[in-house]
Amino acid sequence: MKLIDTHCHLDNEKYDIDRKEIIEKISKTMEFVVNIGYDFESSKRSIELAQKNSNIYATVGVHPTEIGDNFSNENYMELKEMLLNEKVVALGEIGLDYHWMTKTKEIQKNWFRKQMELARELKKPVVIHTREAIKDTIDILKEFKDIYGVIHCYPGSYESATEIIDNYYFGVGGVSTFKNSKTTVEFIRQIPLERIVIETDSPYLTPEPFRGKRNLPEYVEYVVEKIASIKEIDVETVIAITNENAKKLYKIGEK
Ligand SMILES: [Zn+2]
């Protein structure tokens, strides 16, 4: 069964030397990957990659460390136009990042809410980034009860997850394989497989045994193995169910 990477950044400069080879390999060995935009430029690059390759899909959005001061009408129009592209499957990654704090909490919340409103207008799922901001993130997500999506690289507890479990999938990636990943391992044990999607966040967060090196979408294999061992089920079941989840999330391959 072929694997899916629901969150990667193949437009990153770390792939400039061998992007073509990597994408060729993906087209032969993987079902599809979703390339995630994090600002206006990367969103454009994401669409370009998706238009050239049938098994790459794109998302567009502005990450909380990449936002400006005000969310302008121009920003809105630019995002909206990109979101109408047929290979764009979601709005994101958007959210809150209180670790880097590049902008104040208020500015971050404003961009987050404005982009959530755009997702509502265009009926798109959202890809959420949250770092050291779980409570505020969940509070804002709960304001938008008609929106669904994925919390990428979910850092919280199962208990927090239950607050939004009806609308959200939870992205599990390389962190689950790290030696100090107690919270994530406990989370995986408790969350139903039906709410998990697999991701790499390539080129970041490389799983064991390659931790520290450049990440690749094909390394979802190690994440799948880790989940199978934590949940004491076979790898094929993990792939079958999480692939199904990924297709539902991004509405890919539905009739
Ligand atoms: Zn990412």
Side-chain angles (χ1 to χ4, degrees):
M1 209 178 297
K2 285 183 174 177
L3 291 156
I4 292 169
D5 184 357
T6 62
H7 190 119
C8 64
H9 302 279
L10 290 175
D11 58 295
N12 188 284
E13 61 187 16
K14 290 206 167 71
Y15 303 110
D16 283 353
I17 40 160
D18 57 355
R19 186 173 294 105
K20 194 167 169 272
E21 289 75 16
I22 289 169
I23 291 174
E24 264 168 29
K25 192 171 177 198
I26 287 171
S27 70
K28 287 186 195 126
T29 59
M30 297 184 72
E31 186 155 350
F32 64 81
V33 305
V34 181
N35 200 78
I36 308 287
Y38 55 86
D39 63 7
F40 291 100
E41 286 310 310
S42 67
S43 296
K44 273 179 219 153
R45 293 195 300 268
S46 208
I47 293 177
E48 268 169 46
L49 279 175
Q51 278 181 317
K52 280 191 229 149
N53 301 281
S54 64
N55 59 352
I56 299 181
Y57 293 88
T59 74
V60 310
V62 187
H63 186 284
T65 63
E66 308 301 321
I67 55 179
D69 287 325
N70 302 304
F71 185 86
S72 66
N73 196 43
E74 208 181 355
N75 296 148
Y76 165 85
M77 293 305 289
E78 193 176 352
L79 281 176
K80 185 171 174 176
E81 197 192 322
M82 288 194 283
L83 279 158
L84 294 171
N85 185 289
E86 59 175 11
K87 288 298 292 282
V88 173
V89 291
L91 197 160
E93 53 188 296
I94 59 173
L96 301 173
D97 194 315
Y98 295 171
H99 178 78
W100 295 111
M101 266 301 182
T102 327
K103 297 284 178 190
T104 66
K105 289 184 182 181
E106 284 321 302
I107 293 174
Q108 292 191 42
K109 285 178 185 175
N110 182 41
W111 275 73
F112 187 14
R113 286 197 179 97
K114 287 276 165 41
Q115 293 183 89
M116 289 293 285
E117 283 163 16
L118 183 55
R120 171 181 277 160
E121 185 186 332
L122 297 177
K123 297 189 168 58
K124 290 280 184 193
V126 288
V127 178
I128 305 297
H129 167 96
T130 178
R131 189 160 180 200
E132 292 169 27
I134 268 284
K135 193 189 171 296
D136 286 4
T137 303
I138 289 177
D139 284 348
I140 290 179
L141 294 179
K142 282 159 82 177
E143 293 170 14
F144 296 85
K145 295 204 188 311
D146 53 330
I147 300 209
Y148 77 100
V150 56
I151 319 290
H152 126 76
C153 195
Y154 181 71
S157 64
Y158 173 68
E159 202 186 10
S160 305
T162 56
E163 293 192 53
I164 44 169
I165 198 165
D166 291 340
N167 289 40
Y168 287 87
Y169 291 97
F170 298 87
V172 173
V175 173
S176 64
T177 68
F178 298 171
K179 282 188 180 67
N180 54 353
S181 64
K182 248 190 190 160
T183 317
T184 306
V185 168
E186 194 43 44
F187 171 71
I188 293 167
R189 207 186 307 280
Q190 295 184 73
I191 190 97
L193 196 53
E194 285 68 26
R195 299 318 291 174
I196 295 178
V197 292
I198 312 293
E199 63 173 50
T200 60
D201 204 19
S202 295
Y204 315 106
L205 299 175
T206 313
E208 296 288 0
F210 301 114
R211 190 174 181 183
K213 302 204 175 81
R214 182 182 71 165
N215 204 353
L216 287 168
E218 64 193 69
Y219 294 164
V220 283
E221 177 190 344
Y222 300 98
V223 178
V224 162
E225 280 170 8
K226 183 72 188 188
I227 293 172
S229 83
I230 294 169
K231 286 195 163 300
E232 297 176 15
I233 50 178
D234 58 84
V235 167
E236 288 300 305
T237 307
V238 176
I239 300 172
I241 295 181
T242 57
N243 277 10
E244 188 82 359
N245 298 343
K247 289 176 202 171
K248 275 189 207 152
L249 163 64
Y250 291 128
K251 294 187 197 128
I252 291 172
E254 279 180 355
K255 273 147 215 140

